[in-house]
Amino acid sequence: MENFVIETKGLTKCYGDTAVVKGVDIHVKKGEIYALLGRNGAGKTTIMKMLLGLSKITKGTVHMFGQPFVGNKKEFLGRIGVMIETPGFYPNLTATENLEILSDLRGYIKRDAIKESLGKVGLPYKDKKLFSEFSLGMKQRLGIAAAIIHDPEILILDEPVNGLDPIGVMETRDFIRELSQDYGKTILLSSHILSEIELLADRIGIIDKGILLEESPYEELKKRNMHYILVSADPTETVIHMLEEEFHIKDYRIMGNGCIQIFDTEIQTKEIVKFLAERNIYVDAINICRDTLEDYFKRITGGEGIA
Amino acid sequence: MMKRLIRAELKKLKRQKMVFVGYLSILFSFIITFAQQMRIKAGVPEWEGLAEMFFYNNAMLFLPFTISLIGGYMIDQEYARDTLKNLLAIPVRWQDVIKAKAAVLFLLMIRVALFEMVLLLSAGIILRNCPAVLMMAGVCMKALAYNICITLTILPVILWFGKNGGKYIWGSILSMLVGVSGVFVVNGRAAYWHPVTACFSFLSDIYGDKSVLGYMKSGAAIFLYGLLCMLVYWIRYCRENKAVISK
């Protein structure tokens, strides 16, 4: 059995009769970057809040560091850094003053922790600018600084690049990668920016309407599902029937424009062409295609794109 | 932990405009009282009379609203600015934060009382008719006692309305009405039990029953308001705490 630092079993959240998170099983390994991918309202933030005890779990269990996450929350939360939704701070205080409050309440912060965490996110220490004067990107940076101030083992970041400018996005991405690679931090993040997830995540969990549709390492996901053969030939129903019989393909999808997506990429395209030609079916086009994560997301959620 | 929470709450008040509103309202009260005294005493107000009327005006018109406004704002802003989640993720218990906020509100009211003392002492110097230093000191201490008593009796309203997302203003208006209603009961039997006049037996030179029974009734009323604070605190922040987390 693998050791997971975060593990949920059948995690469910209901508001009245409406279930917003349904039986989610998440498995986050130590040191990896796990990305929860889903549209707005898919249940990502609710899952994160339940993991932290900020939202009551209707059903299911959470294990953190191999132990059930109940009762003595301080023991766990002291090892976790959090940034949930838009960072909330006191507008009448500076970044340093805001962090001083949080570090004082945590009580066991090393001396230069505030300076270091602000430095890591590119915000000046002891600056006189008040939080109310911060841009959205600066607020986001301060949120990350607050999450890392106590040198946590796990970081839970909800939409960490939301509102950042392109340079800020790049810096945050590098920084998150550095935390994982150089400092061995485990990072659970959520995002709807697919390009960021493609560049960051070691493992992806795709969530839609509160259901975790898929959870697998990103590399495996790429190999397994985002690679397919696109065949254009008429009549589609006959073609697919013949291919099923001959090549035993099971994982395919008939597209609206008369094309067929075959996800079993072990089959040689020339064999398909030859086989169909011998049966007087002429192939208009055949290609080996590579989906983007967005295409794959659309396919698996059976709907529109993520944005 | 409570010490750290109180320190954090004090820090949160830095550059807080709402606190200045509190000082301004007291200054306004003082100006009105001074003008009233000038009119009554035909231009030569007495220091004792000025102090007594200043306390009366504060208790009836200014303090309940000001205390409720500042206290409600302190609680409400944790919801409005979405800073509550930061505290809960440390983790800090919300009911402990509320206790710290109440403690800081009392400290703030002590500071406001010091401001009242400064105003009264300045008036004494300007009027050049101040009484003996000891008597002045005693009167100044009354400012402190008034503020603490009224903060305690208004606290249930603050605790009740502070939690209702932006409704602390209604709590402040209710407190103001409670304060003004004191004008109508100050000479009657209900004065012992009314939130702002309960302390008059002990503190006011003019109002309140100075008999043993009067002191006992007023003392019992203040004690009951203390119990009411604890009850509201328990209902709104301990019993309903699970409901907050489940949102």
Side-chain angles (χ1 to χ4, degrees):
Chain A
M1 189 183 156
E2 285 189 89
N3 279 330
F4 299 107
V5 283
I6 303 174
E7 187 180 11
T8 69
K9 277 182 192 159
L11 198 64
T12 303
K13 174 76 189 179
C14 298
Y15 290 110
D17 294 333
T18 315
V20 291
V21 174
K22 302 165 196 166
V24 167
D25 296 341
I26 287 175
H27 305 87
V28 185
K29 285 185 198 167
K30 187 173 166 50
E32 76 175 0
I33 301 176
Y34 185 110
L36 266 178
L37 178 61
R39 294 187 184 93
N40 291 331
K44 306 182 296 287
T45 304
T46 309
I47 290 173
M48 290 182 160
K49 283 186 172 177
M50 281 194 284
L51 291 178
L52 297 161
L54 298 179
S55 183
K56 200 176 168 189
I57 298 169
T58 309
K59 219 166 86 184
T61 56
V62 174
H63 278 71
M64 292 263 187
F65 308 103
Q67 292 171 51
F69 183 65
V70 280
N72 197 0
K73 286 204 297 182
K74 186 151 192 168
E75 191 186 308
F76 295 104
L77 293 179
R79 297 163 73 183
I80 303 170
V82 184
M83 190 185 75
I84 298 282
E85 295 169 320
T86 316
F89 290 99
Y90 304 100
N92 50 319
L93 303 181
T94 65
T96 307
E97 286 164 349
N98 268 294
L99 292 190
E100 274 169 0
I101 287 178
L102 295 178
S103 65
D104 193 24
L105 290 175
R106 285 197 181 274
Y108 48 88
I109 306 287
K110 62 176 183 172
R111 219 170 144 227
D112 291 331
I114 295 172
K115 197 174 178 180
E116 277 176 25
S117 58
L118 283 173
K120 276 180 184 167
V121 296
L123 287 175
Y125 178 61
K126 294 267 183 196
D127 190 37
K128 285 184 180 164
K129 197 171 187 174
L130 301 179
F131 181 74
S132 58
E133 296 160 357
F134 276 23
S135 66
L136 184 59
M138 287 171 83
K139 288 178 181 174
Q140 204 74 4
R141 283 163 193 261
L142 184 59
I144 296 174
I148 59 169
I149 196 167
H150 56 298
D151 193 23
E153 292 164 57
I154 298 177
L155 268 172
I156 296 181
L157 307 172
D158 190 15
E159 306 277 1
V161 294
N162 202 13
L164 296 181
D165 55 45
I167 302 292
V169 168
M170 202 175 71
E171 283 173 1
T172 306
R173 189 173 62 220
D174 292 343
F175 169 63
I176 291 173
R177 177 58 73 194
E178 184 189 311
L179 283 173
S180 169
Q181 285 176 347
D182 299 350
Y183 300 98
K185 308 280 182 206
T186 306
I187 295 161
L188 170 64
L189 57 90
S190 75
S191 184
H192 63 266
I193 303 173
L194 292 145
S195 55
E196 285 315 306
I197 283 193
E198 279 179 310
L199 292 167
L200 261 178
D202 297 318
R203 185 185 287 255
I204 291 180
I206 296 179
I207 187 162
D208 191 46
K209 293 170 189 151
I211 300 168
L212 190 70
L213 298 172
E214 174 137 16
E215 183 191 62
S216 60
Y218 180 56
E219 286 304 316
E220 196 182 298
L221 193 89
K222 265 202 311 198
K223 274 185 209 155
R224 191 157 42 88
N225 286 317
M226 291 162 68
H227 199 191
Y228 61 90
I229 298 165
L230 186 70
V231 183
S232 174
D234 266 337
T236 320
E237 298 296 330
T238 314
V239 170
I240 203 69
H241 180 69
M242 290 162 82
L243 292 175
E244 269 180 325
E245 285 203 337
E246 179 65 18
F247 299 103
H248 308 291
I249 60 161
K250 286 194 179 78
D251 194 6
Y252 63 84
R253 182 178 165 221
I254 300 168
M255 296 169 79
N257 57 2
C259 291
I260 305 161
Q261 284 177 309
I262 301 166
F263 299 105
D264 183 356
T265 51
E266 297 294 303
I267 307 163
Q268 296 286 312
T269 49
K270 60 187 177 190
E271 281 178 28
I272 294 173
V273 175
K274 189 183 164 205
F275 170 75
L276 292 174
E278 282 169 0
R279 281 150 189 82
N280 293 325
I281 293 173
Y282 297 100
V283 175
D284 294 326
I286 188 163
N287 289 302
I288 295 175
C289 300
R290 190 172 288 278
D291 259 0
T292 61
L293 187 56
E294 180 159 5
D295 295 328
Y296 179 66
F297 181 83
K298 276 187 204 169
R299 179 154 61 84
I300 198 170
T301 57
E304 298 293 312
I306 195 162
Chain B
M1 189 61 181
M2 190 47 68
K3 210 167 130 187
R4 278 194 227 138
L5 280 169
I6 290 173
R7 212 160 45 212
E9 289 305 322
L10 284 171
K11 196 165 253 178
K12 286 177 201 173
L13 292 177
K14 203 171 172 183
R15 304 183 202 96
Q16 191 60 266
K17 284 178 188 147
M18 197 57 85
V19 177
F20 294 114
V21 172
Y23 288 114
L24 272 179
S25 77
I26 296 301
L27 182 66
F28 188 57
S29 167
F30 185 76
I31 293 167
I32 286 178
T33 309
F34 202 88
Q36 278 176 319
Q37 278 288 306
M38 293 278 275
R39 200 178 165 86
I40 293 166
K41 303 288 177 185
V44 196
E46 286 169 9
W47 191 83
E48 291 100 320
L50 178 82
E52 188 64 30
M53 188 165 264
F54 181 43
F55 295 144
Y56 181 86
N57 283 344
N58 277 350
M60 302 293 181
L61 299 174
F62 295 95
L63 273 179
F65 178 75
T66 305
I67 295 167
S68 195
L69 191 71
I70 295 173
Y73 184 81
M74 281 165 69
I75 299 172
D76 177 82
Q77 290 305 291
E78 298 285 0
Y79 295 103
R81 292 167 185 161
D82 209 8
T83 45
L84 180 56
K85 64 188 178 196
N86 296 349
L87 303 175
L88 298 178
I90 286 178
V92 171
R93 293 193 322 155
W94 183 221
Q95 52 259 56
D96 290 339
V97 178
I98 294 297
K99 274 194 246 173
K101 283 184 188 293
V104 168
L105 185 63
F106 277 102
L107 290 175
L108 197 61
M109 285 307 124
I110 292 172
R111 249 165 56 179
V112 171
L114 291 174
F115 179 62
E116 290 169 21
M117 290 177 200
V118 169
L119 289 176
L120 283 174
L121 291 175
S122 312
I125 294 164
I126 294 165
L127 295 172
R128 289 180 190 172
N129 62 357
C130 23
V133 176
L134 264 179
M135 193 183 166
M136 271 178 81
V139 172
C140 284
M141 288 312 286
K142 273 190 189 178
L144 193 64
Y146 266 115
N147 283 19
I148 289 172
C149 276
I150 293 171
T151 304
L152 179 76
T153 53
I154 290 297
L155 198 55
V157 179
I158 299 171
L159 293 174
W160 189 271
F161 284 91
K163 202 183 163 186
N164 285 19
K167 298 223 171 94
Y168 73 98
I169 293 287
W170 292 108
S172 307
I173 291 169
L174 176 67
S175 300
M176 186 178 77
L177 293 175
V178 166
V180 172
S181 70
V183 175
F184 304 105
V185 301
V186 72
N187 291 316
R189 286 182 183 176
Y192 303 117
W193 310 103
H194 189 278
V196 295
T197 55
C199 58
F200 276 24
S201 294
F202 300 107
L203 302 173
S204 174
D205 290 340
I206 304 165
Y207 302 104
D209 185 354
K210 308 293 175 195
S211 68
V212 175
L213 190 66
Y215 287 135
M216 279 174 71
K217 281 182 182 174
S218 289
I222 292 167
F223 177 73
L224 285 175
Y225 282 114
L227 286 182
L228 186 63
C229 284
M230 283 192 259
L231 181 69
V232 173
Y233 167 76
W234 179 75
I235 292 171
R236 299 292 273 164
Y237 300 95
C238 299
R239 200 177 61 125
E240 292 178 7
N241 189 42
K242 284 179 185 173
V244 171
I245 285 175
S246 70
K247 275 179 189 172

